[in-house]
Amino acid sequence: MLNFDEPVVRPATPVRAGLRRRLYVFSPLPPQRNGLADYIVEYLPMLGADFDLCLVAEAGRAKDSAEALAGVPCTVIDEAAFLARQPEAGAQVLYNVGNNGDCAYMLDHLHRFPGVVVVHDVSLFYLHQVALQAERANGMFHQWVRDTGYEVPADFVARDGSLGRTPGLLYQECLMVRRIAASARGLMLHSRYAEARFRGGAFDVPLGAEHGRPLARIPHFVLPPAPQAPDTAEVLQRFGVEPDDIVLLVPGFLTGNKMLYEVLIAYARVKPGLPRLKLLFAGEERPSEYAVSDRIRQLWPDGDGPRVTGYLDARELDILLGRADLSFVLRYPTYGETSGILPRAVMGGGRVVTVDIGSYPEFDSPLIAQAPVGPHLVDELARHIEALCAGLPTPVERAARRAVEAQRAQTLSPAALYPQVRQLLDDAWEVVR
């Protein structure tokens, strides 16, 4: 197995013109509002230079994706065209999978046409649930558990064979992880935490090149800091940010596991003594998971509470991250991966509070503080807000922070990490040849 504890840069295997193998990539794609689409886009120009690149979009999305990706060296087809074509004997397949309903379309293909799988989140609760609903086969759940070798108490199994009373979401995580591992021809994980958890879920699936499943730990990339946008002042004004505000930010999709309630309560506790404080939820709300706007109206009926921005494009989010004095990157009970949000928040030069579990602690920066998940989390968040307000940096100090973080990020850029991605694809290809 490759060791990625230290950044390693390997030259990609030279490919002569006319001898490039075809690479089919299954992934959410632009213009979908999905971090997995944003992730794969950064690697597409490099993959397109090395491979005969063909992107396989979910049915009904190919046309929009082809338009959004105009100029990228690739073709875009939908899954029906892929099935009609069938992957050639000389082709390879790459799957970009996360805990997201937009990934459910690729699960059948993943098992039928094995390939290399990028696993962004080993806690695949949501994806598993969406897959089961899509298949309309609740009884399959018990079948998977039984086939895996887990012992399920009879009390948990309903008469139709479904799990009427689940003994915990652990089954869902382990089952999905194990099925992916068993079909994969190669695996990419982003952190030591993810690898350990993945191996635990796939407890009886041999991993590694010697078993036909090369596994590489390649961290999530960090994009370079965005240049100053000419409309920065206009964007900030649109979201009600004044020059003397102390800005707290919750960036990214506002899902139920982002601990939004805890942030709201901590803010409500400290706000009366800190009139310059302003809290923004910078992302698209998902009311079915947590109706943050409703809760804000309940807590601040006069309309003077925190603000929800709605969906932001990358440029707008970078503007707010660059302005934020403190960002909250929290996730529980699904711990998630060190996604692009955490390093992007640090790149702005502000402070960041994250949880002390999962893979988040593996991203190292003096600007990041870890808060323990538990009954005292609200107290910890309030303490971090008060400490921030007691020691705000000068503009010069903040600029120096940005410079240090930009230098740190160079070894984690997509271009720096791509040779490792290419090496994994080559290793997996050599195993199956």
Side-chain angles (χ1 to χ4, degrees):
M1 174 187 158
L2 303 176
N3 180 3
F4 296 115
D5 286 328
E6 297 295 332
V8 177
V9 178
R10 299 181 179 178
T13 304
V15 178
R16 289 179 293 166
L19 294 180
R20 299 186 305 164
R21 66 179 178 268
R22 176 163 290 172
L23 180 67
Y24 291 97
V25 176
F26 285 76
S27 175
L29 297 169
Q32 288 175 265
R33 296 176 175 181
N34 189 309
L36 297 170
D38 298 337
Y39 176 88
I40 201 66
V41 159
E42 297 299 326
Y43 284 121
L44 290 183
M46 291 171 277
L47 289 170
D50 284 356
F51 297 91
D52 178 6
L53 185 61
C54 184
L55 308 182
V56 185
E58 184 178 6
R61 296 188 181 274
K63 182 177 182 294
D64 290 342
S65 294
E67 293 175 355
L69 294 170
V72 176
C74 67
T75 57
V76 182
I77 63 175
D78 65 16
E79 47 188 327
F82 172 82
L83 289 173
R85 174 185 295 185
Q86 298 284 309
E88 306 86 338
Q92 191 172 20
V93 187
L94 175 67
Y95 298 92
N96 187 37
V97 177
N99 189 30
N100 189 293
D102 290 339
C103 296
Y105 86 98
M106 67 181 78
L107 290 178
D108 287 340
H109 305 302
L110 186 153
H111 301 302
R112 186 175 175 188
F113 306 102
V116 176
V117 186
V118 182
V119 182
H120 286 277
D121 192 332
V122 292
S123 298
L124 297 169
F125 307 126
Y126 182 67
L127 177 60
H128 195 154
Q129 292 167 349
V130 170
L132 290 178
Q133 293 165 3
E135 293 177 18
R136 299 176 182 269
N138 190 30
M140 183 180 294
F141 197 4
H142 178 227
Q143 182 77 22
W144 285 6
V145 173
R146 186 184 64 192
D147 291 348
T148 305
Y150 288 97
E151 292 295 330
V152 182
D155 184 49
F156 292 113
V157 182
R159 292 181 63 183
D160 65 355
S162 64
L163 288 186
R165 291 175 53 193
T166 175
L169 292 177
L170 179 63
Y171 281 127
Q172 296 194 47
E173 175 177 329
C174 291
L175 289 171
M176 184 62 76
V177 162
R178 182 185 177 278
R179 287 168 63 84
I180 287 175
S183 294
R185 295 293 180 266
L187 292 158
M188 182 202 300
L189 299 161
H190 290 318
S191 66
R192 292 184 297 275
Y193 159 79
E195 181 183 344
R197 199 171 177 101
F198 191 93
R199 289 181 180 275
F203 67 96
D204 61 346
V205 180
L207 303 178
E210 67 275 17
H211 300 294
R213 297 181 186 85
L215 188 152
R217 192 189 323 133
I218 304 175
H220 194 292
F221 58 71
V222 178
L223 294 176
Q228 181 73 22
D231 60 341
T232 293
E234 177 185 333
V235 171
L236 294 176
Q237 185 177 35
R238 175 153 47 94
F239 294 121
V241 178
E242 301 295 337
D244 63 343
D245 285 339
I246 302 173
V247 179
L248 310 180
L249 199 72
V250 180
F253 287 104
L254 305 177
T255 54
N257 61 359
K258 295 288 183 69
M259 310 186 82
L260 308 178
Y261 173 77
E262 288 81 356
V263 174
L264 278 174
I265 299 306
Y267 175 75
R269 180 182 298 178
V270 301
K271 172 65 174 174
L274 299 167
R276 294 170 54 197
L277 210 58
K278 183 165 290 183
L279 173 60
L280 287 179
F281 290 89
E284 183 175 359
E285 186 174 2
R286 292 180 178 169
S288 62
E289 296 189 41
Y290 186 84
V292 64
S293 293
D294 289 347
R295 187 54 59 91
I296 290 172
R297 284 190 288 269
Q298 292 168 4
L299 293 171
W300 289 272
D302 294 334
D304 56 347
R307 183 166 180 173
V308 178
T309 67
Y311 176 76
L312 301 172
D313 62 29
R315 181 186 58 82
E316 293 171 321
L317 182 56
D318 281 333
I319 289 173
L320 290 178
L321 288 169
R323 174 63 177 83
D325 296 290
L326 178 64
S327 296
F328 297 101
V329 181
L330 309 171
R331 187 178 291 183
Y332 179 83
T334 56
Y335 305 152
E337 278 300 326
T338 302
S339 67
I341 288 290
L342 184 64
R344 282 171 71 187
V346 174
M347 297 287 281
R351 295 200 171 275
V352 179
V353 176
T354 190
V355 291
D356 63 346
I357 54 178
S359 65
Y360 288 118
E362 295 184 33
F363 189 86
D364 185 36
S365 167
L367 297 181
I368 297 176
Q370 298 172 16
V373 173
H376 302 295
L377 178 62
V378 170
D379 296 334
E380 279 290 300
L381 298 182
R383 183 180 66 80
H384 284 293
I385 296 172
E386 292 169 339
L388 166 79
C389 296
L392 289 169
T394 66
V396 173
E397 290 170 336
R398 181 138 181 178
R401 289 179 181 178
R402 291 194 185 101
V404 170
E405 294 302 328
Q407 185 175 12
R408 187 196 313 277
Q410 290 178 1
T411 59
L412 294 174
S413 70
L417 295 175
Y418 175 71
Q420 300 176 34
V421 177
R422 174 61 198 270
Q423 188 66 54
L424 173 61
L425 290 168
D426 288 344
D427 290 345
W429 182 247
E430 290 299 322
V431 166
V432 300
R433 290 182 66 185

